Amino acid sequence: MFETLKWIGDIDGSLELIDQRILPTQFEMINCKTVLQTYDAIKTLAVRGAPAIGVAAAYGTVIAMQSAPANAALPDALIHLKQQSDYLASSRPTAVNLFWALNRINDHAQNFVDQNPNASLDDLRNAILTEAHAIC
């Protein structure tokens, strides 16, 4: 049995999903390693279904945090996360679950930083991955 989508690895991992655009005649997996690839998968309907779109967006934020500057202060990392979330949100402007998942991730990240002001960027990245898994 195949999963529609799944996270591969840890905070430096990637999102693997079934390319639903070519079903049922072909079966291929897409490995999203960048925010652009995740955006395209959502926009072009490679990932379909409201819950799957929300999960893909949540994991897209994990991918987005991979490109945050390594020495970024937590407030700057939150700005980066919000910018990347806004970009992902623009992939399907009417997808309710997409916005719900992105808002949940951003709220969780803000709460994490508020409660852990001395945390590292990797701590924040782990918190975001944990929340994305919870959404999944």
Side-chain angles (χ1 to χ4, degrees), residues 35 38-39 42 53-62 64 81-92 95-110 128 131 135:
V35 174
T38 308
Y39 174 97
I42 296 168
I53 290 168
V55 171
Y59 284 130
T61 65
V62 179
L81 175 64
K82 178 69 171 122
Q83 290 169 338
Q84 296 299 302
S85 294
D86 289 348
Y87 174 67
L88 286 166
S90 71
S91 65
R92 297 285 297 276
V96 173
N97 285 46
L98 173 86
F99 286 90
W100 171 82
L102 293 171
N103 288 335
R104 180 171 163 175
I105 290 287
N106 279 279
D107 289 347
H108 181 75
Q110 182 65 60
I128 292 168
E131 192 66 8
I135 290 169

Side-chain angles (χ1 to χ4, degrees), residues 14-133:
S14 61
L15 174 63
E16 184 177 74
L17 54 92
I18 297 172
D19 186 347
Q20 299 207 11
R21 298 168 296 193
I22 60 173
L23 292 176
T25 58
Q26 297 176 38
F27 180 87
E28 289 182 23
M29 302 296 289
I30 298 171
N31 194 324
C32 298
K33 296 181 179 182
T34 68
V35 174
L36 178 59
Q37 290 171 325
T38 308
Y39 174 97
D40 285 343
I42 296 168
K43 175 115 178 137
T44 65
L45 301 175
V47 59
R48 292 186 187 167
I53 290 168
V55 171
Y59 284 130
T61 65
V62 179
I63 294 168
M65 293 307 291
Q66 294 171 1
S67 64
N71 60 350
L74 292 181
D76 294 331
L78 289 175
I79 291 169
H80 177 79
L81 175 64
K82 178 69 171 122
Q83 290 169 338
Q84 296 299 302
S85 294
D86 289 348
Y87 174 67
L88 286 166
S90 71
S91 65
R92 297 285 297 276
T94 61
V96 173
N97 285 46
L98 173 86
F99 286 90
W100 171 82
L102 293 171
N103 288 335
R104 180 171 163 175
I105 290 287
N106 279 279
D107 289 347
H108 181 75
Q110 182 65 60
N111 290 336
F112 177 83
V113 170
D114 290 346
Q115 294 172 9
N116 302 282
N118 296 320
S120 70
L121 179 59
D122 278 350
D123 293 335
L124 175 60
R125 292 174 65 206
N126 273 307
I128 292 168
L129 177 58
T130 298
E131 192 66 8
H133 285 325

